[in-house]
Amino acid sequence: MTTSQPLSPPARRAGRWARIPKAPYLFILPYLLIFATFWAWPIISSFLMSFKDSRLGADAPYALSNWSRLIQDEFFRTALRNTLVILVVQVPLMLSLATVLAVALNSKLLKAAGWFRFAFFAPLVVGTVAYSAVFRLLFNTDFGVVNRALTGIGLPAVDWLNQAGPAMSVIIMAMLWRWTGYNAIILLAGLQGISEDVYEAASIDGATPAQQFWKITLPLLRPTLLFCMVLSVIGTLQLFTEPALITNSGPGNATMTLGTYLYQQGFRSFNFGYASAIAYTVAAIAAVFSVIQLRLFGRER
Amino acid sequence: MKKVMLSLSALLLVGSAAAQDLSGTVTIWSWDAAAKALESTIPSFNKKYPNVKVKVEDLGNQNVYDRGLAGCAAGGQDMPDIYSIENNEAEVFWARFPDCFVDLNTKGADKLVKNFPAFKWTELMAGNKRYAMPWDSGPVVMFYRRDLYQQAGVNPASIKTWEDFIAAGKKVNAKFNNNVKMATVANGQDDEWFRMLANQNGCFYFDNAAKAVTVNQPGCVSALNTIKKLYDAQVVATGDWGGQITNVKAGKTASAMFGAWYEGTIRTNAPDQKGKWGVYLMPASKAGGVRASNLGGSALAIPSSSKNQAAAYAFLENALATAGGQVTMLKSQGLVPSLLSATKDPYVKTAQPYWGNQAIWQTILGTLGDVPQARGTQYFQDARQVMIVVQADYIKGRYKTAKEALDDAAKKISSATGLPVAK
């Protein structure tokens, strides 16, 4: 019997198959099954659903009706515009505040630093429903403490929740209150990763604290800031809790966001096909924004 | 005559034999006062069916809706034996999940059709199927403060049209230096006033066949016009659900217009104003016009997955299709019956102390037969969202005329639902 004779193709294939270790795959099989059932399938299924008019029942034929509606839908445009307004106003404001806060919390001059860190992180621990209810009360036109304070110092009371502009500002203030501390803590971790040596060298060279902040702290903090920014942008695109619970997307649809519109279509109108189309659009926008941010701010020096 | 008596007693015998047969547990999902009202009918039910145990679970309004959706989407999993459903939201269920609920005609509901006003059935049917039994309703009336009207020299009996209402509002404004308004209108948060006035004029978002958008028809145009006139005459304030109650409590409004279920809201929120309130019919859009409308109201359905459908249907019949059941709920929680025979119950004629000893239920229930039909359709929420915005924009002056505003609303509702705008 000679061994020099080449193996026939099927035998070789079987040989390669035999050489692949199977045990690891068996071990991760349960995870893969769960992933396929609860992650991959819903993602595919909702994509397919976005081509169906789910209001016609389960047997609706595939069509582009949801996507063509999305393009013309004024409500979608309003939701998108409102979300972008919050994005453009709230995210930069929050990240600037968070950076200032992080630098302050990192300062050696600060006594009881641990207590302050906790205090600024605490809003995140409060349940969203509870804090939304509190904000509703604070900004109540007739009984709210905010209007009491305003009238107390001689300013006119504002009908916060029943007017478009003020309602939007309440949403932004609520989000600032809740998320600034969270970002500050992440940035603080970033700050503590910056070596003291750099600052020492800078001081020896005669750099002022302001110069140190702009020329050292900010550039070295960039990866952390980028992380915070990407997370905040994605979070804002998904924004739901505050507009749903504080203003109920109102007045009219003045504070309706992509998140609340998606919810309204999916779970108030039971229009799952259209809700899926909105969800895919939001995901696409989030992906595009993330890429832009990574390109603009993420390049390695 | 003898024959009739014989067959009647035979029927009774068969009936009572069947009643003895029914047993097991019937669970009901409902909310707040409605759940308490259903509970109040259990004793009379158990008199007829002693072997059936009834369990009412108060899940809260939103939760009932959400869990019903989840249950139906899962093919009827984890559903109760009886499900509470708001009329306006009902058609979404029938359209998306036609097999989730029992066709009550198969249980004998087709024999009860005439016992309820026609408008209560429209939203509970899909094709020939009758998916739920009418429960309470929301005949619209004007609640008013007797004392404030009197001080301003307004006689409620003289308010027959919206023009009269505005004229009365001007008197109230003059008397109280603009500190008291005639009513609070939800603007920007809801479009209840538009719906009440449109329904009164025989118009609604959609036609009764649910085939076309009719929100720009003359009745609706007149409704939106009236709301604008109320604002232009400065006789109304703006406020959402909470704001409206606040204004009632603080005496900042001399009246409030809502479905009659608002009776309990006023009575429990302002107990100190006992005797100061009264009720009159909503003003008509023109002299001699309809002074009735409906806002809200619910129904009960039996999920197909229920293992105890016969007992569930027996409960429905006792609570909703008998005057005794409906009046029990009216007494206990102020739930307004939609059963026509309940309107003849002696309790309805009783003077109500809170309402200045007026027999308000007689006034309120008397309008039931005049309420024009309207249906929410499965697109109710889409249409409502559009109208909330269009109404607020029109009041703000963003459209030149009510017709222009409603043409725009019709276009938007049409693009959201795929239904054509009616010619």
Side-chain angles (χ1 to χ4, degrees), chain B residues 47-345:
Chain B
K47 237 179 232 169
K48 294 182 203 163
Y49 304 96
N51 301 324
V52 181
K53 193 172 178 297
V54 182
K55 252 171 58 189
V56 181
E57 293 176 32
D58 179 358
L59 303 181
N61 184 301
Q62 196 64 61
N63 212 6
V64 168
Y65 184 85
D66 291 345
R67 277 180 70 178
L69 150 70
C72 284
Q77 288 279 310
D78 183 35
M79 291 290 278
D81 299 298
I82 295 176
Y83 183 78
S84 308
I85 196 162
E86 281 189 70
N87 265 49
N88 282 331
E89 291 169 338
E91 285 196 78
V92 177
F93 281 86
W94 325 144
R96 307 289 194 284
F97 310 108
D99 301 324
C100 195
F101 296 94
V102 174
D103 174 8
L104 296 182
N105 279 339
T106 64
K107 307 277 174 199
D110 45 348
K111 294 181 196 78
L112 303 171
V113 173
K114 287 224 159 62
N115 301 358
F116 296 92
F119 81 93
K120 277 300 290 186
W121 285 111
T122 14
E123 287 159 324
L124 307 180
M125 296 185 65
N128 294 322
K129 293 188 172 170
R130 212 171 284 279
Y131 282 112
M133 198 181 284
W135 180 4
D136 65 323
S137 57
V140 173
V141 280
M142 190 69 76
F143 302 96
Y144 77 103
R145 282 279 298 269
R146 293 165 184 280
D147 53 336
L148 297 181
Y149 270 43
Q150 209 162 32
Q151 286 170 45
V154 173
N155 176 10
S158 69
I159 302 180
K160 293 196 170 73
T161 64
W162 285 109
E163 295 297 336
D164 299 337
F165 186 81
I166 290 171
K170 287 184 175 154
K171 279 190 191 170
V172 170
N173 273 351
K175 169 74 190 170
F176 299 102
N177 288 328
N178 289 322
N179 289 324
V180 177
K181 295 286 164 193
M182 265 312 248
T184 316
V185 174
N187 189 39
Q189 306 278 1
D190 212 327
D191 67 337
E192 299 146 338
W193 273 63
F194 174 74
R195 275 185 277 145
M196 290 188 276
L197 293 172
N199 184 205
Q200 165 183 46
N201 295 341
C203 182
F204 206 60
Y205 302 148
F206 306 101
D207 66 351
N208 281 334
K211 295 269 190 265
V213 179
T214 52
V215 76
N216 56 350
Q217 303 271 310
C220 292
V221 174
S222 151
L224 191 58
N225 245 330
T226 302
I227 297 175
K228 175 85 167 147
K229 276 187 202 159
L230 292 169
Y231 269 98
D232 289 347
Q234 300 181 341
V235 296
V236 290
T238 300
D240 60 358
W241 178 256
Q244 289 164 343
I245 294 175
T246 310
N247 285 349
V248 163
K249 281 161 85 168
K252 284 187 181 172
T253 43
S255 25
M257 186 172 76
F258 256 122
W261 36 263
Y262 204 64
E263 185 269 340
T265 309
I266 295 179
R267 184 159 43 85
T268 51
N269 277 290
D272 53 317
Q273 295 172 17
K274 184 176 174 181
K276 291 182 177 167
W277 283 87
V279 155
Y280 63 96
L281 298 184
M282 72 187 290
S285 57
K286 51 180 182 285
V290 176
R291 298 185 67 181
S293 170
N294 183 72
L295 186 77
S298 303
L300 291 180
I302 302 177
S304 308
S305 58
S306 162
K307 297 215 165 47
N308 219 346
Q309 292 178 11
Y313 187 74
F315 183 85
L316 252 56
E317 269 193 321
N318 179 65
L320 310 184
T322 67
Q326 292 263 18
V327 172
T328 305
M329 294 193 281
L330 173 68
K331 280 181 191 163
S332 84
Q333 301 293 327
L335 245 60
V336 184
S338 47
L339 184 74
L340 293 169
S341 64
T343 58
K344 297 183 184 78
D345 190 276

Side-chain angles (χ1 to χ4, degrees), chain A residues 44-230:
Chain A
I44 296 166
S45 166
S46 73
F47 184 67
L48 294 178
M49 206 188 272
S50 74
F51 291 97
K52 278 190 172 188
D53 189 341
S54 56
R55 296 185 294 196
L56 300 176
D59 313 320
Y62 284 93
L64 281 169
S65 54
N66 289 323
W67 292 95
S68 58
R69 176 181 169 188
L70 192 70
I71 293 165
Q72 310 160 358
D73 189 351
E74 275 187 40
F75 279 73
F76 178 76
R77 281 204 289 275
T78 307
L80 184 62
R81 193 176 57 234
N82 289 341
T83 309
L84 292 179
V85 164
I86 296 173
L87 197 72
V88 169
V89 177
Q90 195 262 346
V91 173
L93 198 61
M94 175 180 69
L95 291 182
S96 322
L97 276 174
T99 311
V100 173
L101 202 59
V103 171
L105 288 174
N106 199 31
S107 164
K108 289 191 194 63
L109 301 171
L110 186 73
K111 299 273 187 284
W115 189 87
F116 278 107
R117 281 170 205 175
F118 165 74
F120 284 111
F121 193 75
L124 205 70
V125 184
V126 179
T128 36
V129 177
Y131 111 89
S132 299
V134 170
F135 264 82
R136 270 191 74 85
L137 286 177
L138 288 178
F139 287 93
N140 182 299
T141 309
D142 295 316
F143 317 106
V145 72
V146 175
N147 272 351
R148 284 282 159 85
L150 286 178
T151 47
I153 55 172
L155 291 169
V158 179
D159 195 2
W160 290 103
L161 300 174
N162 294 318
Q163 288 179 295
M168 186 61 105
S169 62
V170 171
I171 298 285
I172 289 174
M173 281 187 270
M175 289 173 68
L176 280 178
W177 178 81
R178 188 170 167 86
W179 293 103
T180 305
Y182 169 78
N183 284 293
I185 297 294
I186 296 178
L187 290 170
L188 180 62
L191 281 179
Q192 292 178 340
I194 302 174
S195 168
E196 279 299 311
D197 302 351
V198 194
Y199 290 103
E200 256 175 52
S203 312
I204 290 165
D205 289 344
T208 63
Q211 281 173 324
Q212 288 181 21
F213 177 78
W214 290 108
K215 297 276 163 76
I216 300 173
T217 310
L218 270 190
L220 289 179
L221 202 55
R222 195 165 66 184
T224 323
L225 263 173
L226 179 67
F227 174 76
C228 288
M229 195 193 289
V230 172

